[in-house]
Amino acid sequence: MNGRNLKELSAADSLRRLADVPLGRVVFTRHALPAVRPVNHVVIDGQIVIRSSAGTILSAEVAAVEAVVAFEADELDVEERLGWSVVVTGFAELVQDPGEVARLRSMITPWVTGQLDQVIRIRPQIITGYELVPG
Amino acid sequence: MNGRNLKELSAADSLRRLADVPLGRVVFTRHALPAVRPVNHVVIDGQIVIRSSAGTILSAEVAAVEAVVAFEADELDVEERLGWSVVVTGFAELVQDPGEVARLRSMITPWVTGQLDQVIRIRPQIITGYELVPG
């Protein structure tokens, strides 16, 4: 199989693709160490919205101060070696307004059981995306 | 659909699953910011081995000093909402010995074209894995 080339995607195309998949990976720093968790997400008003529980390390990081995080999603076909990946870097914050929390919570059904009563919103600052195309 | 529960996997099971998939995501810190890149990998002698190019930001981070990174892989079925994810945290280093570089390079065929003449080896320190099971 020929190698693939990486074709850069526009920010708008990247965010559109990210919005089209139900699952991504939130990347953050914990005690100066890199950390990553798969999570299901939605994109609302250009922001990435995820649910979390107060007990998780992600919520602990974000609750203290607005945190810089990355969010990655991809659709990669391991047979064809084609697909795309998108990485968003931005500011994550716990949504505080109770009405806004209720509105956003209703728009995401987490896969896992549990309270997941917190809502985290990521405001994109940098959006990069690549598509694997035949070389 | 009922929510899923998270069942913890043993370190050995986690590493075995990670070795069974061709693709993961390496997570690192760049200029104090979280960064993430999809990459294809192999597991050799209990270590995660990936290829990179001298020009990439990952290589720049790892070349300077042995770097702490995370490596995530998963197989998640978005229809059934079942699957697993594994996160390894460990030390990444550029392999320096030319013979070892040649041996390891021959064991990974990168998907993307380009030189990718560097080999990075990640020594796991912490291995965690979860399986999504019916709740």
Side-chain angles (χ1 to χ4, degrees), chain A residues 104-134:
Chain A
L104 294 173
R105 276 183 61 177
S106 71
M107 300 168 83
I108 324 169
T109 305
W111 293 13
V112 293
T113 54
Q115 286 296 317
L116 295 159
D117 47 357
Q118 296 191 333
V119 174
I120 294 171
R121 186 160 48 189
I122 302 169
R123 263 186 296 133
Q125 299 293 306
I126 306 167
I127 302 174
T128 57
Y130 292 94
E131 188 171 12
L132 287 171
V133 295

Side-chain angles (χ1 to χ4, degrees), chain A residues 11-120:
Chain A
D13 191 10
S14 296
L15 201 58
R16 186 183 58 72
R17 289 172 190 243
L18 191 140
D20 271 351
V21 295
L23 186 90
R25 294 146 203 101
V26 61
V27 172
F28 54 105
T29 305
R30 187 205 182 198
H31 299 161
L33 295 179
V36 52
R37 295 285 179 279
V39 64
N40 54 308
H41 71 282
V42 292
V43 175
I44 299 170
D45 305 332
Q47 303 192 337
I48 300 159
V49 180
I50 62 180
R51 286 175 61 169
S52 186
S53 297
T56 63
I57 62 168
L58 174 60
S59 284
E61 291 300 322
V62 173
V65 286
E66 191 179 60
V68 176
V69 303
F71 191 86
E72 190 268 352
D74 56 50
E75 274 193 327
L76 293 162
D77 183 322
V78 300
E79 300 298 329
E80 296 294 331
R81 299 188 173 182
L82 293 173
W84 55 267
S85 74
V86 165
V87 176
V88 170
T89 308
F91 294 103
E93 59 172 6
L94 277 179
V95 179
Q96 304 285 356
D97 177 75
E100 186 69 357
V101 169
R103 183 179 80 94
L104 294 173
R105 276 183 61 177
S106 71
M107 300 168 83
I108 324 169
T109 305
W111 293 13
V112 293
T113 54
Q115 286 296 317
L116 295 159
D117 47 357
Q118 296 191 333
V119 174
I120 294 171

Side-chain angles (χ1 to χ4, degrees), chain B residues 28-31 52-67 94 118 120:
Chain B
F28 54 106
T29 304
R30 186 205 182 196
H31 299 160
S52 187
S53 297
T56 64
I57 62 169
L58 175 61
S59 285
E61 291 301 321
V62 174
V65 285
E66 190 179 61
L94 277 178
Q118 295 190 334
I120 294 171

